[in-house]
Amino acid sequence: MDWLTGSKIPVGPWARDAVDWLIDNATWFFDGLANGVSALIDGVLWLLQTPHPFVVIAVFAVVAWLLQRRLSVVVIVVLGFLFILNQGYWRETTQTLTLVLSAVVLCMGVGIPVGIAAAHRPRLYAALRPVLDLMQTLPTFVYLIPAIVFFGIGMVPGLVATAIFVLPAPIRLTHLGISSTPSALKEAGLAFGATPFQLLWKVELPYAFPQIMAGLTQTIMLSLSMVVIAALVGADGLGVPVVRALNTVNTALGFEAGLVIVVVAIMLDRMFRRET
């Protein structure tokens, strides 16, 4: 086997050289991206932490009612937040919600247009598919290395790593929804003189809406799954007490923080799930 290992393909050095080149030539881009992401995080964090907790709970309850029109969902949301307050994790929960909501804004804002473009251009989707596969299958810890190099320590690298891991979900599901629009519907729209934009807005997007909402739910759940990993690069939130509990073998702390994460996941899932 020496003949094979002796001619090792230098994947690692190539990746290192690419990162070094980006540091030398694209610092302006990463600085601008970091400033924009930081502004988004600060804005969401201000909205969640400035008002009294009961005000935030009331807002989430109203949003839950408007989205689902079911009292049971509102009760779940209110009881979930009251449990979080009882456990003393309100600040960490708002930080985690900031990470999740910011990831939703970034991923849906990029994923929906890219998914629409990919659905209308099969060659584009064929080119994107291996990239999306790589983004979803590459171990998430690998994302942390360039995130630290480009953005330092804090919420920004945690959000960037989360967005890279989560982005394929809205792209794929938007592509699936748009591309599965029945030809009969599109032909009917064209027969009535619809422009390509009108066809997209009034035919394809309404038909693909359930898939797009599924992409939103997946984005939220996958973002929550990155909470603990993001804490390893200094991102605040519920991942911090979990990491602390792991380092100190503190069963009580780990179970408390883990259960709060589960409660947050249940609340968000019930709020945004689209019943069939």
Side-chain angles (χ1 to χ4, degrees):
M1 296 295 292
D2 292 340
W3 63 272
L4 183 59
T5 57
S7 56
K8 177 180 177 181
I9 300 175
V11 176
W14 286 346
R16 181 195 60 212
D17 293 341
V19 171
D20 291 341
W21 185 89
L22 288 173
I23 293 174
D24 294 336
N25 297 275
T27 303
W28 59 271
F29 170 77
F30 293 109
D31 288 344
L33 180 61
N35 292 334
V37 171
S38 180
L40 174 63
I41 292 173
D42 292 341
V44 177
L45 200 60
W46 182 87
L47 288 174
L48 293 176
Q49 290 188 344
T50 302
H52 192 277
F54 287 162
V55 175
V56 177
I57 294 173
V59 170
F60 271 88
V62 171
V63 172
W65 172 256
L66 293 176
L67 291 175
Q68 299 294 340
R69 299 291 179 176
R70 290 162 53 196
L71 185 60
S72 59
V73 176
V74 177
V75 172
I76 289 173
V77 170
V78 173
L79 291 180
F81 276 121
L82 292 178
F83 173 78
I84 292 169
L85 280 173
N86 173 262
Q87 295 297 302
Y89 286 94
W90 179 257
R91 182 175 181 81
E92 291 83 358
T93 299
T94 56
Q95 292 166 341
T96 292
L97 285 173
T98 297
L99 181 66
V100 172
L101 295 177
S102 299
V104 167
V105 171
L106 291 176
C107 293
M108 297 303 290
V110 174
I112 292 177
V114 172
I116 292 172
H120 290 157
R121 297 169 178 81
R123 290 185 179 179
L124 174 61
Y125 186 66
L128 284 176
R129 187 180 303 167
V131 178
L132 299 177
D133 291 340
L134 178 66
M135 292 168 67
Q136 285 187 308
T137 57
L138 195 68
T140 50
F141 286 97
V142 177
Y143 296 137
L144 303 183
I145 301 171
I148 294 174
V149 171
F150 294 134
F151 303 106
I153 300 295
M155 291 285 282
V156 173
L159 177 57
V160 170
T162 300
I164 294 174
F165 175 69
V166 174
L167 186 58
I171 293 177
R172 289 185 186 275
L173 287 169
T174 301
H175 168 269
L176 176 63
I178 297 294
S179 60
S180 61
T181 304
S183 300
L185 287 179
K186 293 189 285 187
E187 290 173 359
L190 292 174
F192 281 98
T195 64
F197 178 79
Q198 291 173 330
L199 190 67
L200 171 66
W201 188 254
K202 296 185 177 182
V203 177
E204 292 178 331
L205 283 178
Y207 186 86
F209 185 72
Q211 293 291 343
I212 294 174
M213 288 301 296
L216 174 63
T217 304
Q218 286 294 309
T219 298
I220 293 172
M221 295 299 107
L222 290 172
S223 298
L224 276 173
S225 72
M226 288 288 290
V227 166
V228 177
I229 297 175
L232 298 176
V233 294
D236 297 324
L238 293 169
V240 174
V242 173
V243 173
R244 188 181 302 122
L246 180 63
N247 291 334
T248 59
V249 197
N250 189 330
T251 305
L253 178 62
F255 189 81
E256 283 179 0
L259 186 58
V260 170
I261 294 174
V262 172
V263 170
V264 172
I266 292 173
M267 291 190 302
L268 294 178
D269 178 68
R270 296 299 185 273
M271 286 179 62
F272 293 98
R273 176 190 294 179
R274 183 176 175 84
E275 300 291 344
T276 56

